Amino acid sequence: MSWSLKIARLFGINVYIHWTFLILLGWIFLSSLGSGQNMQEALLGVAFILTLFACVVLHEYGHALTARRFGVPTRRITLLPIGGVASLEKMPEKPREELLVAIAGPAVNVVIALLLFILMQVAGITFPTEQLEDPSQISLGNAFIPNLLAVNIILVLFNLIPAFPMDGGRVLRALLSMKYNRAKATAIAAQIGQFLAIGFVFLGFMYDFWLIFIGLFIFLGASGESRYETTRHLLTDLKVSDVLMHQFTEMDAWSPISEAIDTLLDGQEKDFIVTEQGDLIGTISRDDILRGLQEMGPAERIKRIVNTDWVRLAPDMELNEAYDLMNQRNLSICPVYSPEGDLLGVLNTENILEAIMIERARGGQG
């Protein structure tokens, strides 16, 4: 994710903080001062937010480390003002594994809440029960430990709402997948999530306007997850060789950008592989070409704008696997090589989208 600053690396996973998170801290600090709190109280409020997000990081590590047990790596963890995101390479497809990965995050918050409760009992700290009845009563910095306990409980309850993109939605799909195939389980879970989202929106109009945003967030998340899983289901029986493009254009690394512009205008292709002395060195897209033209001019060599972060695909690779890989690496085109190392063709995202449309049309026959 762009505009993020790396702040730590634990268990082989980088932790990043998005720049907007710093705005949140500044807003908390200035709001505290503006409400009449002194400097110490305002700093305590900021410390509370930092501690809360440390709990969020632990929550995300719960997902990440559990996924690692099932062979699924995590690219990074990013902190945003609305929470944290553990960027798993993929979700495990076995229902039991997805269930454990999904439940691991909230389970971490349960453990934190229990530890804080034990600490309160030992230290004789009383718990302001009105904060569970009305979360708006939580005052940052005051009653630090009870507030932290209350927020962890809220995190558990919120994350276990049975709707995508919350953990509860994935728990629900994992349970449904024990009876149905993954696509049908996702569709059912998404429909339940959308029903709950509509309920949140109605409640928002009657009680709290923030519930409207939560409802929209859930509705969009459920819709997105359903579309993604439907796409994967349509590609289930296809391999890379089934949609391989044998006709494609190679660009020479030492040709000028103006030549790439001419190629763009002369045909329908938008993504190209780039070679140097016969060896493939990378790829370029239409956006790369236009950006290079704007920043460097038409006389600059294509080599200056080539994307060297590319991967080679095998013809017998599952198309779903290739689709996921290209999405994860933000690649629009990949070369396809035979086991002997011969370049057979290319696969691009347009080809995959056309395959999806064809499979959807086939599914609609009869």
Side-chain angles (χ1 to χ4, degrees), residues 155-293:
L155 285 174
V156 173
L157 297 176
F158 180 73
N159 276 285
L160 288 181
I161 293 174
F164 296 114
M166 265 76 76
D167 299 327
R170 304 192 185 282
V171 170
L172 177 60
R173 177 175 61 192
L175 294 173
L176 290 170
S177 295
M178 295 177 182
K179 181 177 180 181
Y180 305 106
N181 66 52
R182 187 176 176 86
K184 186 173 182 179
T186 301
I188 295 172
Q191 288 170 359
I192 293 173
Q194 289 171 332
F195 177 78
L196 291 174
I198 293 171
F200 273 110
V201 171
F202 275 114
L203 288 174
F205 282 114
M206 291 186 290
Y207 298 106
D208 190 333
F209 193 72
W210 280 105
L211 292 175
I212 297 176
F213 290 101
I214 292 174
L216 292 174
F217 176 69
I218 292 174
F219 192 92
L220 294 174
S223 301
E225 189 71 25
S226 181
R227 284 195 302 271
Y228 174 74
E229 203 55 48
T230 299
T231 297
R232 285 182 53 82
H233 182 67
L234 290 170
L235 301 179
T236 296
D237 298 325
L238 298 178
K239 296 187 180 296
V240 167
S241 57
D242 294 323
V243 295
L244 179 65
M245 287 177 56
H246 297 282
Q247 298 180 6
F248 57 93
T249 302
E250 297 182 18
M251 290 193 179
D252 186 82
W254 292 99
S255 297
I257 291 177
S258 59
E259 187 172 312
I261 293 293
D262 292 339
T263 304
L264 267 181
L265 295 174
D266 192 44
Q268 298 297 316
E269 293 178 85
K270 300 181 180 65
D271 305 287
F272 309 90
I273 59 173
V274 179
T275 58
E276 183 177 18
Q277 297 180 350
D279 295 324
L280 196 152
I281 64 167
T283 64
I284 54 172
S285 66
R286 177 180 60 185
D287 291 342
D288 295 327
I289 295 170
L290 295 176
R291 186 164 49 249
L293 177 65

